[in-house]
């Protein structure tokens, strides 16, 4: 059973207090109507499923009920990082404004 | 009487002053306090304790701990009986009743065993599939793995959560040393051992530590440990599971050893432990040797023979042949000679045994036969002789003819297999060590260490040393001490052992396939021939061979047979053992009771029930219940003599013709506030909320991003920036989580706050043409006039003196007012409404009538008429979808995916059966032509179906392919009982299609 530090409660708590909510940093397309069926399908269904570090969303269901991000190794299950929702994807290339 | 014929006159860690009476298969026997059931059975001369799984062969006790494959017994009777206990792990108590679990095999064996080669499940039972149930019943009986208790378990169980700095698993020499080092460094230590006494092998072997006996060393170490302030010692506690992030489960047996008469308090406790660091000192289990008829009673592990002699003062035989591949087992021959029994010979597989122990044995006059193996045991219900023959250097053929040694006990040692089950549970793969001739635990990372025999250490001195180092290191990793050991290296007086011989299958004069059975796994009756057969049939993965042959599939998880099985497979495949690898182990290390798994979560505590504030009223008025999620909802209120149909008909007609009342408190309610509340709602519902006036309500569909209906309900605007959202009863938590997900992760810029208020409000729906008259009697500050209080309005006022919100909304199609009051006043207001309604004969109705009424109107129930693959258009609810929202709502884009625009989608229709009295079963499949032989194209299925008293006929809703364009067509529902029901596709709105009544 995983031992997870909630970034809001700042405590190590057992996995049974939390729920997993899938891959993190999936931005909802700002203009869905502009997307083709295939592009919308990518957003809907395609997920990374890596072997190794994986950024995912968890929620402290039986605690503060807040969502946050976890960097978890899918092989060792080691938790490498936790950070609040809203923090940009550390792996994403810097956004440049034209 | 000569009780306990095999009990030695002196010695052992038993209390001869406390005689315990017990029975085995009804036969009265005696043992002593300190005995296990196994040692007591052996002391009483019991040879055969069970019949084997497949072949019903007689089996005796082999081991003395969790590795025991045969002595799996059933204790007690009736509700307090426990199946599948290992006699080697059961402490004897006064009044114990035991019997073996198998009773069927003797009868079945003759006809059956020839059908049971390797892979018998696959070969025999998979075709034809319909026979499986019959085979399975026979097999279950044949397997004889116990009977369930016949009553409710009267014992109590509980769970306890702990944290500790260092958890030490196993209290043998390594574990005790580790625990003491860690505790002295200041760490909070928990040490657990499955045995009633700490000490492990030290209590079963005749060794000395630093000049004192092993038992004295254990006592001194435990005393030192107990004096440390933060050390917890848990005997009778099996560490059964090692999970992620150093989480452990420990099953502590607190009263099992006392028997039923003395038991009190918690019988078993499941400790749930989060440890900063762990030291696995789980020891090793002696490996048996695979020779013909090696399952005869009287063939035992050498270590078990020594344990019975030293710990329990029992000699499980008279004349011993010891068959070994290593020096260590010679100690068993020395023990046997010391108690005055005859050592017929030591048969050593090595050509030139020359270790110190070998020398001592020879000097003591013991006959050592080198370069030989026991190739077969002879005897009927017990060993009568051992057939021995010279082995060649490779160990796969015999060098010359065999001869017999008369004996009644064969002790065997094929070396040691580290107990790496716990380390393997973490997912770390064991690795083969040629030097140790064993699988050793894989690395455990930064938070776990292994110490002692589990790492392949053989001598007591090494085990103590390694345990101490591991304890000190674990403590320092947890932040205590510098990692240096304080224990002095003890002098154990041991001489180094010479190398042992790897021997996994002892050759016979006949080839394996024709020799008498050479058992690898005694519990599941897997032989060497089975494994070779699997290899011949093309199985190359050890995991597949395990499943094909059942090797290691018993409740012992192959503790004895695993390594030999892997080695025989490797040989058959022409591989090295490390290439073949081993199977992995799962929790629990040894079987645990359901009681311990459940703990206190049984009966009323199993799953909490939710009751509305009016629950007691419903109960007093004879409601039957429908479980919706955790809620108890009244289903209908039968009057004396009424059938369900009669009660539901009466309730429905009261709604349509008079007035009725319904407890709707269970609907999910979410209070939404903030300046962006309307924007938020626009994004999560298909309908728009920005232009909804204060005091007005609107229905909405909630979709997942894939466009499928997830929930529906009415949302009311209570104030400029405040809304109340209703969810379906079953979805309240899921909807709340879904909304919070979007609010917290994607739309963080919105000023909106969500609060679940489901339990804050009690809701009574007053429904029917006369509902207005009832409400006017209990409320003076709301104008109920139809122009002042329109359909889909919400008003605030007082009902029976209590501040209330009244929603004029309807799920029945009738004039209807839903009264919401703070939950604590729910019963008071309900009573007032009932009283006010008495002159109108107000009728309580339940969920069944509610279902009928809404189906008459063609209103869907999410989760009944929809199934997670249904769009709004599929159920004809395009009218509830606003397509011109600026941002778009969740799921919006999916509604125009090509797949969702297909014309052959399943669509909601009504069905009218040809015979109005026939009610279609819900779930019935619909086809186009009656009497067609399967397979038949499925045109749809019935989602809701009832008898409508108002319409005097049955009605049904169904999802039908292209349904909206097939009105008037006839479809057929062929039922399992042979009937075929025909029905015409009609509009799903059966009653008042214009909605006149709800607007009255
Ligand atoms: Zn939290």
């Amino acid at each position: 059973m995983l031992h997870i530090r909630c970034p809001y409660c700042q405590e190590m708590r057992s996995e049974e207090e939390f729920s997993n909510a899938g891959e993190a940093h999936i931005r909802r397309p700002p203009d869905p109507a502009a997307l083709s069926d295939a592009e919308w399908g990518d957003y809907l269904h395609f997920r990374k499923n890596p072997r190794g570090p994986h950024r995912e969303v968890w929620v402290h269901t039986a605690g503060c009920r807040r969502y946050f991000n976890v960097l978890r190794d899918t092989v060792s299950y080691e938790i490498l990082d936790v950070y609040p929702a809203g923090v940009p994807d550390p792996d994403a290339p810097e956004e440049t404004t034209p | 009487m000569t009780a306990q014929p095999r009990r030695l006159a002196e010695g052992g860690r038993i209390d001869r002053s406390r005689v315990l009476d017990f029975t085995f298969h009804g036969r009265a026997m005696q043992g002593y306090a300190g005995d296990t059931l196994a040692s007591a059975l052996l002391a009483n001369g019991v040879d055969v304790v069970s019949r084997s799984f497949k072949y019903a062969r007689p089996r005796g006790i082999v081991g003395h701990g969790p590795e025991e494959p045969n002595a799996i017994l059933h204790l007690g009777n009736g509700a307090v009986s426990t199946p599948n206990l290992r006699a080697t792990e059961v402490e004897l108590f006064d009044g114990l009743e035991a019997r073996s679990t198998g009773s069927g095999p003797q009868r079945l064996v003759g006809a059956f065993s020839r059908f049971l080669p390797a892979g018998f499940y696959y070969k025999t039972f998979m075709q034809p599939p319909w026979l499986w149930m019959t085979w399975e019943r026979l097999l279950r009986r044949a397997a004889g793995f116990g009977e369930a208790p016949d009553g409710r378990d009267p014992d109590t169980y509980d769970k306890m959560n702990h944290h500790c700095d260092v958890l030490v698993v196993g209290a043998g020499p390594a574990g005790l040393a580790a625990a003491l080092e860690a505790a002295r460094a200041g760490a909070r230590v928990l040490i657990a051992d499955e045995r009633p006494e700490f000490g492990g092998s030290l209590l079963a072997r005749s060794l000395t530590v630093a000049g004192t006996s092993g038992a004295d060393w254990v006592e001194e170490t435990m005393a030192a440990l107990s004096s440390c302030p933060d050390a917890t010692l848990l005997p009778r506690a099996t560490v059964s599971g090692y999970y992620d992030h150093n989480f452990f489960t420990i099953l502590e047996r607190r009263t099992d050893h006392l028997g039923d008469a003395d038991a009190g308090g918690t019988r078993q406790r499941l400790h749930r432990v989060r440890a900063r660091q762990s030291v696995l000192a789980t020891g090793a289990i002696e490996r048996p040797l695979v020779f013909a008829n090696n399952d005869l009673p009287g063939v035992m592990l050498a270590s078990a023979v020594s344990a019975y002699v030293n710990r329990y003062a029992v000699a499980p035989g008279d004349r011993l042949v010891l068959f070994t591949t290593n020096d260590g087992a010679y100690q068993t021959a020395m023990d046997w000679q010391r108690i005055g029994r005859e050592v017929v010979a030591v048969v050593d597989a090595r050509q030139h045994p020359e270790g110190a122990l070998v020398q001592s044995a020879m000097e003591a006059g013991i006959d050592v036969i080198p370069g030989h193996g026991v190739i077969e045991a002879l005897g009927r219900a017990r060993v009568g002789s051992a057939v021995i023959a010279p082995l060649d250097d490779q160990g796969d053929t015999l060098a010359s003819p065999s001869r017999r040694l008369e004996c009644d006990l064969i002790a065997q040692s094929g070396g040691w297999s580290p107990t790496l089950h716990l380390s393997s549970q973490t997912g770390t793969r064991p690795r083969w060590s040629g030097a140790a001739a064993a699988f050793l635990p894989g690395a455990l990372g930064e938070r776990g260490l292994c110490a002692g025999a589990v790492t392949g250490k053989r001598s007591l001195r090494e085990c103590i040393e390694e345990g101490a180092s591991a304890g000190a290191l674990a403590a320092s990793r947890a932040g205590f001490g510098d990692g240096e050991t304080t224990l002095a290296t003890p002098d154990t007086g041991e001489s180094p052992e010479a190398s042992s011989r790897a021997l996994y299958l002892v050759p016979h004069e006949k080839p394996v396939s024709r020799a008498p059975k050479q058992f690898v796994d005694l519990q599941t009756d897997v032989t060497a021939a089975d494994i070779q057969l699997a290899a011949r049939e093309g199985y190359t993965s050890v995991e597949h061979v395990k499943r094909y042959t059942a090797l290691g599939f018993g409740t012992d998880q192959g503790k004895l047979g695993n390594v030999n099985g892997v080695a025989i497979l490797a040989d058959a495949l022409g591989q090295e053992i490390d290439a073949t690898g081993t199977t992995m182990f799962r929790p629990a290390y040894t079987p645990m009771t359901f009681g311990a798994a459940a703990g206190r979560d049984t009966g009323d505590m199993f799953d909490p029930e939710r009751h509305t504030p009016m629950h007691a009223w419903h109960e007093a008025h004879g409601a039957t219940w429908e479980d919706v999620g955790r809620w108890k909802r009244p289903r209908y209120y039968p009057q004396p003599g009424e059938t369900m149909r009669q009660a539901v008909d009466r309730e429905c007609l009261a709604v349509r013709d008079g007035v009725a009342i319904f407890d709707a408190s269970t609907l999910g309610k979410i209070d939404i506030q903030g300046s962006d509340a309307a924007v938020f709602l626009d994004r999560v519902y298909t309908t728009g909320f920005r232009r909804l006036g204060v005091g007005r309500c609107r229905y909405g569909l909630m979709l997942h991003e894939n466009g499928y209906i997830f929930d529906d309900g009415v949302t009311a605007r209570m104030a400029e920036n405040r809304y109340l959202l209703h969810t379906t009863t079953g979805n309240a938590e899921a909807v709340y989580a879904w909304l919070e997900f979007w609010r917290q992760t994607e739309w963080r810029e919105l000023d909106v706050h969500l609060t679940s208020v489901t339990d804050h409000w009690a809701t009574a729906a007053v429904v029917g043409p006369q509902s207005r008259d009832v409400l006017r009697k209990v409320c003076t500050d709301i104008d109920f006039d139809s122009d002042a209080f329109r359909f889909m309005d919400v008003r605030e006022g007082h009902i029976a003196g209590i501040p209330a919100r009244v929603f004029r909304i309807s799920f029945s199609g009738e004039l209807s007012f839903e009264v919401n009051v703070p939950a604590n006043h729910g019963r008071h207001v309900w009573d007032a409404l009932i009283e006010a309604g008495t002159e109108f004969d107000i009728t309580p109705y339940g969920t069944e009538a509610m279902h009928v009424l809404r189906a008459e109107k063609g209103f869907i129930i999410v989760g009944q008429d929809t199934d997670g693959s249904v769009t709004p258009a599929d159920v004809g609810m395009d009218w509830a979808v606003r397509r011109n929202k600026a941002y778009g709502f969740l799921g919006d884009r999916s509604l125009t995916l090509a797949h969702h625009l297909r014309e052959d989608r399943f669509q909601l229709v009504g069905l009218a059966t040809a015979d109005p009295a026939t009610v279609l079963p819900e779930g019935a499949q619909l086809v186009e032509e009656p009497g067609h032989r399967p397979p038949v194209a499925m045109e749809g299925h019935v989602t809701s179906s009832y008898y409508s008293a108002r319409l005097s006929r049955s009605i049904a809703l169904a999802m039908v392919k292209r349904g909206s364009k097939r009105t008037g067509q006839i479809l057929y529902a062929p039922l399992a009982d042979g009937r075929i029901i025909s029905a015409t596709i009609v509009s799903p709105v059966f009653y008042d299609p214009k909605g006149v009544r709800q607007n009255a």
Side-chain angles (χ1 to χ4, degrees):
Chain A
M1 183 159 50
L2 305 183
H3 210 202
I4 302 169
R5 175 176 295 279
C6 171
Y8 306 106
C9 299
Q10 284 295 328
E11 276 190 32
M12 298 294 293
R13 310 294 298 179
S14 274
E15 182 181 345
E16 58 202 346
E17 290 187 12
F18 299 86
S19 313
N20 183 292
E23 185 180 325
H25 303 300
I26 295 175
R27 285 308 305 264
R28 187 171 197 262
D31 186 6
L35 301 184
S36 68
D37 279 10
E39 287 165 336
W40 180 251
D42 279 350
Y43 157 69
L44 271 187
H45 301 298
F46 283 76
R47 296 296 181 265
K48 290 199 181 90
N49 194 26
R51 181 183 168 87
H54 182 227
R55 297 190 184 277
E56 48 197 30
V57 181
W58 286 73
V59 55
H60 198 177
T61 320
C64 62
R65 299 205 291 212
R66 295 176 73 182
Y67 287 84
F68 58 97
N69 298 309
V70 171
L71 179 63
R72 185 178 66 97
D73 189 305
T74 60
V75 179
S76 68
Y77 287 13
E78 196 184 342
I79 290 178
L80 308 165
D81 197 8
V82 289
Y83 50 102
V87 171
D89 183 356
D91 297 334
E94 273 268 323
E95 275 186 42
T96 50
T97 40
Chain B
M1 89 185 165
T2 59
Q4 308 187 37
R6 295 200 182 279
R7 182 76 67 182
L8 299 173
E10 55 188 29
R13 300 178 66 78
I14 49 173
D15 181 354
R16 291 170 198 260
S17 68
R18 287 177 55 208
V19 177
L20 305 176
D21 290 300
F22 72 104
T23 64
F24 180 60
H25 280 285
R27 201 179 123 200
M29 299 182 190
Q30 290 184 332
Y32 296 122
D35 262 328
T36 62
L37 176 54
S39 66
L41 287 169
L42 287 171
N44 283 273
V46 174
D47 293 335
V48 179
V49 291
S50 67
R51 296 267 163 178
S52 78
F53 169 59
K54 266 169 40 178
Y55 305 115
R57 289 162 72 105
R59 292 282 166 81
I61 293 165
V62 170
H64 70 118
E67 74 283 0
E68 172 58 36
N70 293 334
I72 298 172
L73 304 181
H74 190 105
L75 252 61
N77 285 300
V80 292
S81 66
T82 310
N84 300 329
L85 289 171
R86 257 164 259 282
T88 49
E89 297 181 300
V90 173
E91 290 175 65
L92 194 67
F93 56 83
D94 203 42
L96 182 151
E97 296 173 26
R99 58 195 160 88
S100 50
T101 51
S103 55
Q106 294 91 324
R107 292 197 307 276
L108 281 163
V109 60
F112 218 51
S113 60
R114 67 194 171 89
F115 292 123
L116 304 176
F120 66 93
Y121 271 91
Y122 298 87
K123 287 173 180 161
T124 314
F125 302 124
M126 296 315 282
Q127 295 294 335
W130 53 267
L131 253 181
W132 168 249
M133 295 307 284
T134 309
W135 281 119
E136 203 212 9
R137 231 180 350 259
L138 276 172
L139 266 183
R140 291 260 174 241
R141 210 167 47 173
F145 281 175
E147 300 152 34
D150 63 6
R152 196 190 163 89
D153 189 341
D155 291 319
T156 58
Y157 303 81
D158 65 17
K159 296 180 187 175
M160 187 179 275
N161 294 301
H162 303 261
H163 292 265
C164 67
D165 297 316
V166 179
L167 172 70
V168 179
V169 183
L176 283 171
L180 185 56
E181 283 290 355
R184 278 182 175 163
R188 183 159 45 146
V189 173
L190 182 63
I191 176 169
D193 192 283
E194 61 192 341
R195 296 279 185 165
E197 284 185 287
F198 279 13
S201 61
L202 284 174
L203 304 183
R205 299 167 67 192
S206 42
L207 288 170
T208 58
V209 187
T212 64
S213 76
D216 288 345
W217 184 84
V218 170
E219 214 160 292
E220 284 162 26
T221 310
M222 281 177 64
L225 195 50
S226 301
S227 69
C228 297
D230 260 343
T232 304
L233 285 64
L234 274 186
R236 299 188 174 94
T238 304
V239 180
S240 57
Y242 187 174
Y243 304 87
D244 295 310
H245 297 185
N246 263 28
F247 183 79
F248 294 83
T249 51
I250 306 176
L251 178 65
E252 181 191 8
R253 292 166 294 274
R254 294 167 61 81
T255 66
D256 292 53
H257 61 290
L258 300 174
D260 305 321
D262 298 308
T266 299
R267 179 186 167 202
Q268 296 181 347
R269 173 168 292 161
L270 189 69
H271 297 265
R272 296 154 40 93
V273 180
R274 184 77 69 174
R276 278 183 209 281
Q277 292 288 326
S278 63
V279 177
L280 307 185
T282 48
I285 292 170
E286 196 163 39
R287 195 180 302 155
L289 288 156
V290 178
F291 53 90
N293 291 336
N294 57 340
D295 67 326
L296 260 183
V299 178
M300 299 178 73
L301 296 176
S303 55
V305 171
S306 280
Y308 288 115
V309 166
N310 295 319
R311 184 165 183 164
Y312 303 105
V314 173
D318 291 312
R319 290 182 299 159
L320 172 79
V321 166
L322 173 72
F323 178 19
T324 182
T325 61
N326 56 76
D327 283 4
Y330 277 74
Q331 188 62 51
T332 299
M334 312 279 278
D335 289 342
W336 198 252
Q337 193 187 47
R338 195 188 71 238
I339 59 169
R341 295 293 200 277
E342 180 189 351
V343 179
V344 176
V346 175
V347 178
D348 196 318
R350 299 171 294 184
Q351 302 296 348
H352 305 289
E354 55 199 2
L357 265 173
V358 179
Q359 295 304 325
S360 313
M362 292 199 291
E363 281 160 23
I366 291 174
D367 183 15
V368 175
I369 307 175
H372 276 63
V374 173
I375 64 166
E376 183 173 348
L378 297 176
R380 288 185 61 82
R382 172 155 191 140
V383 170
S385 61
V387 182
I388 69 167
L391 306 177
D392 68 6
D393 281 342
Q394 277 68 48
D396 41 20
T397 51
L398 305 180
S400 57
S402 62
R403 63 187 165 108
R404 282 193 196 189
L405 298 175
E406 302 299 314
C407 63
D408 65 353
L409 180 64
I410 300 174
Q412 52 179 340
S413 178
W416 290 81
S417 301
T419 309
L420 39 73
H421 300 69
L422 279 182
S423 66
S424 161
Q425 285 177 18
T426 66
T428 177
R429 230 164 231 294
R431 56 200 166 79
W432 178 254
S433 159
F439 285 103
L440 301 181
L444 287 177
E446 296 297 302
R447 303 184 62 181
L449 295 162
C450 293
V454 69
T455 69
K457 299 290 175 295
R458 291 292 306 118
S459 77
L460 176 59
R461 195 174 58 87
E462 287 174 302
C463 287
I464 293 175
E465 269 178 356
E466 192 172 44
S469 309
L473 178 55
S476 78
R477 282 179 177 179
F480 302 88
D482 56 9
E484 296 298 317
T485 56
T486 58
L487 276 177
T489 301
D491 173 20
T492 55
E494 294 165 289
S495 334
E497 287 188 15
S499 58
S500 54
R501 174 169 183 176
L503 183 62
Y504 306 108
L505 173 59
V506 183
H508 192 268
E509 289 151 325
K510 296 175 181 166
V512 168
S513 58
R514 297 183 47 223
K517 287 185 166 49
Q518 298 160 312
F519 285 95
V520 177
D521 186 326
L522 291 168
Q523 198 184 2
T524 55
D525 263 1
V526 176
T527 64
D530 288 333
I531 294 169
Q532 292 189 349
L533 178 65
R536 275 204 306 281
E537 292 185 353
Y539 288 86
T540 55
S541 152
V542 64
E543 293 284 0
H544 292 160
V545 170
K546 168 181 173 178
R547 281 150 186 82
Y548 193 59
T549 61
L551 171 72
F553 248 123
T555 54
D556 61 358
Q557 293 197 27
K559 290 183 177 71
L560 290 183
N562 192 54
V563 171
N564 286 329
V566 167
I568 291 168
L569 177 66
D571 184 57
L573 296 172
Q575 288 177 337
E576 296 299 316
I577 293 175
D578 52 358
T580 304
T582 177
T583 55
M584 299 291 273
F585 303 97
R586 297 193 192 97
Y589 171 63
T590 52
M592 62 190 283
T593 57
F594 283 108
R600 295 290 172 99
D601 305 326
T602 61
D604 289 344
M605 307 287 277
F606 175 63
D607 197 23
E609 281 179 11
R610 296 175 83 181
H611 293 176
T612 75
M614 290 81 98
H615 186 86
W617 190 94
H618 305 317
E619 216 163 34
H621 288 78
T624 59
W625 303 101
E626 180 180 7
D627 293 338
V628 184
R630 287 185 169 132
W631 289 105
K632 286 280 179 198
R633 301 194 73 182
R635 191 171 181 208
Y636 57 97
Y637 301 81
Q639 292 186 348
E642 265 186 344
T643 62
M644 174 173 164
R645 162 80 81 83
Q646 288 166 340
V648 173
D649 286 357
R650 174 178 52 74
E651 291 174 12
C652 286
L653 292 174
V655 170
R656 296 283 182 225
D657 296 335
V659 62
I661 187 166
F662 177 71
D663 183 352
S665 306
T666 63
L667 279 189
K669 293 173 274 290
I670 300 171
D671 189 353
I672 302 183
Q673 299 188 45
S675 57
D676 291 319
V679 176
F680 181 80
L681 284 167
D682 265 10
R683 292 179 180 183
V684 300
Y685 271 127
T686 55
T687 25
F689 286 87
R690 254 180 278 201
R691 278 189 277 281
L692 184 69
V694 172
R696 291 289 289 164
C697 303
R698 183 162 288 165
Y699 176 81
L701 287 170
M702 195 177 285
L703 311 182
H704 276 146
E705 279 282 61
N706 55 20
Y708 299 134
I709 296 171
F710 162 44
D711 201 62
D712 71 340
V714 167
T715 296
R717 187 167 198 175
M718 305 306 298
E720 178 62 24
N721 289 324
R722 180 171 197 179
Y723 294 78
L724 184 74
L725 179 155
H726 288 98
T727 76
T728 56
T729 296
N731 257 348
E733 285 115 41
V735 169
Y736 184 59
W738 172 249
L739 298 183
E740 282 288 355
F741 173 81
W742 289 97
R743 187 187 75 81
Q744 292 183 32
T745 66
E746 190 75 18
W747 303 329
R748 301 173 54 79
E749 72 285 1
L750 296 186
D751 172 31
V752 60
H753 302 274
L754 311 175
T755 310
S756 169
V757 294
T758 302
D759 296 286
H760 300 197
W761 298 90
T763 305
V766 184
V767 187
Q770 293 173 306
S771 52
R772 190 176 274 130
D773 304 322
V774 174
L775 282 160
R776 279 178 172 146
K777 288 180 66 182
V778 290
C779 177
T780 53
D781 54 0
I782 295 176
D783 183 354
F784 285 94
D785 198 78
S786 66
D787 295 328
F789 196 166
R790 295 157 300 166
F791 182 56
M792 298 301 263
D793 274 350
V794 54
R795 294 286 177 267
E796 295 188 73
H798 290 75
I799 306 277
I802 305 299
R805 294 166 167 176
V806 183
F807 299 80
R808 190 178 158 186
I809 55 181
S810 179
F811 196 42
S812 58
E814 291 299 327
L815 177 64
S816 162
F817 298 91
E818 296 197 356
V819 175
N820 281 244
V821 295
N824 287 346
H825 300 291
R827 176 64 192 272
H828 165 75
V829 169
W830 179 272
D831 287 343
L833 289 166
I834 296 282
E835 195 188 318
T838 305
E839 66 174 284
F840 306 100
D841 197 19
I842 194 167
T843 303
Y845 72 101
T847 52
E848 194 63 28
M850 180 265 279
H851 278 115
V852 177
L853 294 162
R854 64 89 201 176
E856 289 174 345
K857 288 289 297 175
F859 296 153
I860 60 160
I861 288 186
V862 172
Q864 175 164 342
D865 301 295
T866 69
D867 63 0
S869 69
V870 173
T871 68
D874 294 339
V875 287
M877 292 181 77
D878 269 336
W879 57 266
V881 179
R882 223 173 66 136
R883 301 311 308 274
N884 59 350
K885 290 185 176 184
Y887 177 83
F889 51 86
L890 296 178
D892 187 3
R893 176 65 185 82
S894 289
L895 299 181
T896 54
L897 289 173
H899 177 64
H900 293 149
L901 298 174
R902 290 163 59 133
E903 293 203 336
D904 62 349
R905 289 184 65 80
F906 287 82
Q907 292 158 338
L908 184 76
V909 298
L911 289 178
T913 51
D915 169 15
T918 302
V919 180
L920 283 160
E922 287 176 356
Q925 302 291 305
L926 302 167
V927 299
E928 257 184 336
E929 287 174 48
H932 214 286
R933 285 167 57 85
V936 183
M938 199 270 275
E939 297 298 316
H941 69 280
V942 177
T943 59
S944 295
S945 181
Y946 312 96
Y947 184 78
S948 163
R950 162 56 63 224
L951 301 168
S952 300
R953 62 155 303 121
S954 70
I955 58 170
L957 300 176
M959 293 299 287
V960 170
K961 197 181 274 185
R962 249 184 241 100
S964 65
K965 298 217 166 54
R966 294 171 76 170
T967 306
Q969 271 191 27
I970 294 174
L971 292 178
Y972 299 89
L975 304 185
D977 62 11
R979 284 184 299 153
I980 296 173
I981 300 174
S982 68
T984 307
I985 297 177
V986 296
S987 158
V989 186
F990 294 89
Y991 186 65
D992 185 23
K994 293 213 165 66
V996 175
R997 303 181 66 89
Q998 68 193 11
N999 290 310

